Amino acid sequence: MNDTTLDSLIVLRSLTADGVFSALAGLCRRGGDEALALFAGEVIAAGAERDLLGYAAERILCDENAFSVCCARGRQPSAQLKRAFMHDVNAIFGCINMHKSEFSQYVETGSLPAVFSDGDGRMADRLCKFYAENGYGKFIRNCAFNYEDGKLVPIGNPAAVTLDELKGYADEKRAIDANIVSFLRGLPYSNMLLYGDRGTGKSSTVHAMLNKYRGSGLRLVEINRENMLELPRIRQQLMENPLKFIIFIDDLSLNEGDEKISGLKAALEGSVSGRTDNTMIVATSNRRHIVKENFSDRENSVHVNDSMQEQLSLSDRFGITVLFSSTDKRTYLDIVSQLARDCGLKADEKLLALAERWALVKGGRSPRRAKQFTDLMLSCKMLGTEPQF
């Protein structure tokens, strides 16, 4: 096989669907000014004109193929698979090096990351270790996913919130953080239910934890209530992945008798399909008793007791429950003061009086209300206008 053509790719053949690699294959195949122009145009369109090798290396690392999946699952690739994969890597870099003098006036080759910068044998071992630590394909590039039609679909722009941006609730965040650290380190951990009033930061805290620990192998899969019966299938998809996954159910609420209750119970306590060591269920709810009770349920005391036990039996299966309680005036104004200082506003009496008025107009105090208020005040400051509410 010729290591300076992409027509013989074996494991990494799907990369030729990428415009840069397709044009590179054409350049290697026939050369000439037309092929060179097409290649340079594709590289520039991809924003890779200053580091072509880096672009190629990133695409190779993030490709989902037999080698990357095998290594990510902790298995030792066969000698044949390793040889085929390294043939493809050498072919890609060989093509680039062979033609770099032709495209050097338009494209800089740049440099390879360390994982690619040594000989074949050690490079293959380093790549295998990379996949074992970082997963494969979409799990390398993305940290958050939706579950849609039986597939994990990357979320293009997950919330970029950080814990420093979330004011208050220090004890609550500390408890959640400690449990996630145990989860990441392979220590005993619990599924979590975060409950409390709207706007207190339950969902934002989960996303902030993801952003804090994504570099440590944490990922998030968000599902809606309609997909809760799919929990065993989701876990089966993830069980051989070396990364750790929060399965996130936001704003969880169920009606008594809903078939999803038994499915969630089984997932929380373990069943034949089993709880896997790399998945943790985290749910948020506005109420601790996430099973709604209907008025007709109270017709007799026997049914009332049964209904209450049904509600408790589900919420109690979360090993850790964290209450995000409503915000009193003092705490609310303290959060406003912290947010104001963060964005360069003066947290004086006038600002705090306006903040309290804002809360009354909007119907309550919460961290969300505080953030909305400081965003408004910052915009007014930048525009030189007075707030209108």
Side-chain angles (χ1 to χ4, degrees):
M1 293 183 180
N2 186 347
D3 278 350
T4 56
T5 176
L6 301 192
D7 294 330
S8 62
L9 293 183
I10 305 168
V11 181
L12 294 171
R13 180 166 292 277
S14 64
L15 288 180
T16 56
D18 179 286
V20 171
F21 286 91
S22 177
L24 178 61
L27 181 63
C28 293
R29 189 182 305 120
R30 59 183 182 273
D33 292 342
E34 183 178 347
L36 176 61
L38 177 62
F39 172 69
E42 289 289 345
V43 173
I44 292 171
E49 68 274 11
R50 299 186 65 182
D51 188 12
L52 177 59
L53 286 174
Y55 177 90
E58 193 268 344
R59 291 300 186 277
I60 292 170
L61 285 176
C62 294
D63 184 63
E64 183 174 333
N65 54 68
F67 181 82
S68 63
V69 172
C70 176
C71 296
R73 290 176 173 173
R75 300 169 184 168
Q76 183 63 35
S78 66
Q80 294 85 348
L81 176 56
K82 185 183 294 188
R83 189 179 303 115
F85 182 77
M86 291 311 305
H87 160 268
D88 290 359
V89 172
N90 288 328
I92 291 169
F93 295 144
C95 275
I96 292 173
N97 288 327
M98 185 175 73
H99 294 278
K100 62 183 179 182
S101 61
E102 300 171 45
F103 56 68
S104 60
Q105 58 183 320
Y106 309 113
V107 176
E108 296 178 24
T109 54
S111 59
L112 285 170
V115 71
F116 286 105
S117 61
D118 211 339
D120 286 3
R122 282 179 289 172
M123 185 195 301
D125 293 338
R126 284 198 306 277
L127 287 167
C128 197
K129 181 181 179 182
F130 172 86
Y131 293 121
E133 293 175 349
N134 297 280
Y136 57 87
K138 59 191 174 187
F139 301 109
I140 298 174
R141 287 183 177 175
N142 304 280
C143 67
F145 304 83
N146 283 320
Y147 184 74
E148 300 174 4
D149 299 324
K151 297 180 180 179
L152 300 177
V153 180
I155 298 175
N157 296 293
V161 63
T162 66
L163 288 171
D164 288 340
E165 295 171 339
L166 302 176
K167 310 303 181 183
Y169 301 97
D171 292 339
E172 291 81 357
K173 289 185 287 190
R174 193 176 299 114
I176 296 167
D177 190 282
N179 189 49
I180 290 177
V181 169
S182 294
F183 176 51
L184 290 171
R185 293 181 180 177
L187 301 173
Y189 67 94
S190 297
N191 299 306
M192 294 189 287
L193 172 64
L194 317 183
Y195 71 99
D197 291 346
R198 293 187 302 272
T200 50
K202 303 180 295 295
S203 300
S204 294
T205 298
V206 175
H207 287 109
M209 292 292 174
L210 172 65
N211 292 327
K212 179 178 180 179
Y213 290 112
R214 63 178 296 179
S216 300
L218 186 65
R219 300 292 185 268
L220 181 144
V221 176
E222 184 163 359
I223 67 172
N224 57 44
R225 66 184 299 276
E226 301 305 319
N227 286 326
M228 284 197 296
L229 292 177
E230 296 287 303
L231 278 167
R233 184 176 298 177
I234 295 170
R235 282 175 158 169
Q236 287 295 317
Q237 288 188 31
L238 299 174
M239 65 182 299
E240 292 188 314
N241 197 302
L243 303 174
K244 301 284 188 175
F245 293 86
I246 289 175
I247 300 177
F248 183 45
I249 312 170
D250 197 18
D251 197 19
L252 175 61
S253 180
L254 297 168
N255 294 312
E256 188 180 7
D258 193 321
E259 63 177 347
K260 300 175 185 66
I261 295 174
S262 59
L264 182 55
K265 281 183 181 178
L268 289 169
E269 67 183 6
S271 61
V272 175
S273 59
R275 146 175 161 162
T276 56
D277 291 335
N278 71 332
T279 59
M280 172 200 292
I281 296 174
V282 178
T284 68
S285 178
N286 293 335
R287 46 188 286 164
R288 187 174 190 273
H289 303 318
I290 52 185
V291 180
K292 293 181 179 179
E293 181 184 10
N294 298 319
F295 183 78
S296 60
D297 294 340
R298 305 179 184 177
E299 290 180 352
N300 62 75
S301 59
V302 174
H303 192 86
V304 168
N305 183 65
D306 290 344
S307 178
M308 183 60 69
Q309 290 304 315
E310 179 76 3
Q311 293 176 26
L312 291 173
S313 66
L314 179 56
S315 58
D316 285 351
R317 278 171 169 78
F318 289 91
I320 293 177
T321 57
V322 181
L323 169 62
F324 283 70
S325 57
S326 58
T327 310
D328 59 24
K329 180 177 179 179
R330 179 179 177 180
T331 303
Y332 166 72
L333 292 179
D334 182 57
I335 292 172
V336 169
S337 297
Q338 293 182 61
L339 291 171
R341 287 192 292 268
D342 283 355
C343 62
L345 295 173
K346 186 177 181 181
D348 55 14
E349 291 184 6
K350 178 181 177 181
L351 183 83
L352 297 182
L354 284 171
E356 178 62 9
R357 180 184 166 197
W358 170 267
L360 294 175
V361 169
K362 294 298 181 180
R365 307 179 186 95
S366 70
R368 181 184 295 164
R369 294 280 185 240
K371 182 65 167 63
Q372 291 169 344
F373 171 75
T374 52
D375 285 347
L376 172 64
M377 296 305 295
L378 179 60
S379 294
C380 288
K381 177 183 177 182
M382 300 302 292
L383 294 171
T385 60
E386 291 294 323
Q388 302 295 320
F389 58 85

